[in-house]
Amino acid sequence: EKESKKFQGTWTFESVEAGGQMLPVDQLKGLSLIFEGDKHTVKKGDEVVQAGTQKLDPSKSPKAIDVTMTEGPNKGTVMLGIYEVDGDTLKVCFDPEGKKRPTEFKSTADSGNFVNVHKRLKK
């Protein structure tokens, strides 16, 4: 409960690395990540790109997060991930195929894992 409070609100996409490649910053413009309770939504402007629910396990090291996609291209997928919240910065790393939970915040060409860095949007 306390852990999920750290996520609440709106976050920007600072960087996205997938398959060992950084996504161009201009592709991240206008993207936002909104956490409400145990649900999250990724939007580009007002358009919903994807949505899902998340389950946190802060007792693991690194802390674990399971995301079940409910809308978007990965609908029905459970992505296994790890996360770290440091003040207003949220870092996540996921295996989008849900096969193996990452053990570090790293994306390599052969892993398919992606690493996102988000910043909390100040009201």
Side-chain angles (χ1 to χ4, degrees):
E1 183 59 35
K2 190 171 133 238
E3 197 66 14
S4 120
K5 279 204 175 91
K6 295 180 185 172
F7 281 79
Q8 303 307 303
T10 302
W11 302 75
T12 62
F13 282 73
E14 289 298 297
S15 68
V16 174
E17 186 180 2
Q21 299 286 315
M22 293 303 278
L23 239 62
V25 177
D26 58 353
Q27 288 188 18
L28 308 178
K29 282 205 177 93
L31 279 179
S32 60
L33 171 63
I34 300 124
F35 286 99
E36 296 168 296
D38 65 350
K39 293 188 170 66
H40 74 273
T41 310
V42 175
K43 289 183 164 180
K44 184 155 183 106
D46 293 331
E47 181 196 345
V48 173
V49 180
Q50 62 181 40
T53 57
Q54 66 277 348
K55 229 170 53 205
L56 307 173
D57 186 350
S59 68
K60 297 261 193 310
S61 179
K63 295 177 179 183
I65 179 170
D66 295 350
V67 167
T68 305
M69 301 314 297
T70 54
E71 273 184 62
N74 300 328
K75 187 176 174 168
T77 315
V78 176
M79 298 195 298
L80 304 178
I82 54 176
Y83 73 94
E84 181 183 279
V85 180
D86 182 9
D88 288 334
T89 304
L90 167 65
K91 193 195 269 186
V92 292
C93 180
F94 282 102
D95 170 0
E97 291 171 7
K99 292 197 177 94
K100 195 166 175 280
R101 188 179 309 283
T103 54
E104 52 185 345
F105 295 93
K106 221 181 191 169
S107 168
T108 56
D110 58 352
S111 73
N113 289 358
F114 65 88
V115 179
N116 290 0
V117 178
H118 303 281
K119 285 268 189 240
R120 188 185 303 276
L121 209 58
K122 298 279 188 232
K123 293 252 186 288

